[in-house]
Amino acid sequence: DAMVIQNPRYQVTQFGKPVTLSCSQTLNHNVMYWYQQKSSQAPKLLFHYYDKDFNNEADTPDNFQSRRPNTSFCFLDIRSPGLGDAAMYLCATSRDLRTGNEQYFGPGTRLTVT
Amino acid sequence: AQKVTQAQTEISVVEKEDVTLDCVYETRDTTYYLFWYKQPPSGELVFLIRRNSFDEQNEISGRYSWNFQKSTSSFNFTITASQVVDSAVYFCALSEVSNDYKLSFGAGTTVTVRA
C-alpha cells in the first residue's frame, strides 16, 4: 500500500500560472519534505515541516511556498512558475528530525511549464 | 564543497555480473548516518539502507551488500549477480547532526544492466 502519495503524477502549467502540488502520507510521520529534482541531478531540498514548524532552505526562491494543514497532508505552491521550474517534485517523510531517520519518498510529480 | 562523492557517473554491465558503486563522504561530525537510495525510471526514490557512524559492520541483504569503512570515509554498495530490474540511478546520501540531519546527496550513479 502506498505510504507517501503525490498527486497529480504529471502536471502541466502555463508560464506564470500558479500551481499546487499535493502530498499525503499514511505513516503518521512528524516530518514532511519537498525536494526539487531536475534531469540527471540529485534531489535538492526546498523546505520541510517538522510538525507545524516550517523550515525554508536559504536558497529556495520566494516563488515556492508550502502549507501543511494537518499531519497527513502537505502542499507545494508555485506562485508564478517559470520555465526553469520544470522538474520532478518529490515529497518525503520521516518519523523524526533529530535521529537520522530514513526518509520515505513519494513517486513524485513531474511538472512541465509551457 | 561536495560532501558526498559518487565518482562513477554511469556503469553498464551484462546481467549476472557484479557491480560495485563507490561512495566517499566528508564530515567533521562524529555522529552521522549514511544511506543508499534507488531511483528506478518510474522516479520514486526507494530507501535501501541506513548506517550510523558507530556501526561499521558490513551488511548483506539478498543480492545487495554494503561495505562501510570509516578509515577511508567510504560506504560502497555491491549488487551481486545483477538483473535487468536493478537498472536505476543509485544515490548515496549523508545525514549529519551539524546539518540538522538533512540529506546531502551524491550526484548519483546510473546503472544499466543489459540482458
Side-chain angles (χ1 to χ4, degrees):
Chain A
D1 290 335
M3 297 181 290
V4 182
I5 302 159
Q6 290 189 245
N7 287 305
R9 294 292 309 277
Y10 300 90
Q11 176 74 58
V12 180
T13 191
Q14 292 177 339
F15 183 95
K17 185 174 181 181
V19 65
T20 295
L21 309 183
S22 166
C23 177
S24 63
Q25 53 132 340
T26 60
L27 297 164
N28 204 33
H29 282 174
N30 289 319
V31 192
M32 295 188 77
Y33 306 82
W34 278 104
Y35 290 84
Q36 178 192 66
Q37 186 180 25
K38 296 190 175 180
S39 182
S40 302
Q41 295 184 19
K44 177 180 180 297
L45 182 64
L46 295 173
F47 26 58
H48 72 273
Y49 273 95
Y50 180 42
D51 197 12
K52 294 183 179 180
D53 291 334
F54 177 69
N55 296 271
N56 200 25
E57 292 301 296
D59 57 354
T60 298
D62 293 340
N63 199 23
F64 292 86
Q65 306 283 319
S66 186
R67 296 170 283 137
R68 189 179 186 186
N70 53 53
T71 301
S72 301
F73 284 86
C74 195
F75 299 99
L76 169 62
D77 300 310
I78 308 176
R79 293 191 298 187
S80 182
L83 298 178
D85 296 328
M88 174 77 90
Y89 290 88
L90 296 163
C91 174
T93 74
S94 68
R95 189 171 66 237
D96 208 335
L97 193 58
R98 299 200 172 276
T99 54
N101 293 130
E102 59 269 26
Q103 295 182 21
Y104 293 93
F105 286 79
T109 294
R110 186 167 297 282
L111 178 69
T112 301
V113 182
T114 61
Chain B
Q2 189 73 14
K3 293 187 177 185
V4 178
T5 301
Q6 295 180 251
Q8 305 140 309
T9 305
E10 294 184 28
I11 300 176
S12 182
V13 297
V14 177
E15 218 171 9
K16 297 184 183 177
E17 286 184 358
D18 297 348
V19 56
T20 295
L21 311 181
D22 298 333
C23 173
V24 174
Y25 63 92
E26 184 180 333
T27 181
R28 293 184 177 182
D29 290 11
T30 53
T31 301
Y32 55 89
Y33 299 83
L34 294 162
F35 302 83
W36 276 96
Y37 283 87
K38 173 184 179 180
Q39 189 173 39
S42 59
E44 181 173 351
L45 274 156
V46 178
F47 165 75
L48 296 178
I49 189 171
R50 167 181 174 264
R51 236 339 163 232
N52 74 56
S53 53
F54 301 107
D55 182 2
E56 279 193 80
Q57 270 193 324
N58 292 329
E59 180 153 342
I60 298 174
S61 176
R63 295 184 297 105
Y64 294 170
S65 62
W66 292 269
N67 184 308
F68 177 26
Q69 292 196 345
K70 286 178 76 170
S71 60
T72 56
S73 298
S74 65
F75 186 44
N76 297 337
F77 171 33
T78 297
I79 303 172
T80 303
S82 60
Q83 300 176 1
V84 172
V85 292
D86 296 327
S87 297
V89 182
Y90 291 85
F91 290 98
C92 180
L94 167 69
S95 171
E96 303 165 280
V97 174
S98 61
N99 193 28
D100 290 335
Y101 293 102
K102 297 174 194 174
L103 289 176
S104 299
F105 284 95
T109 297
T110 300
V111 173
T112 302
V113 182
R114 309 186 307 277

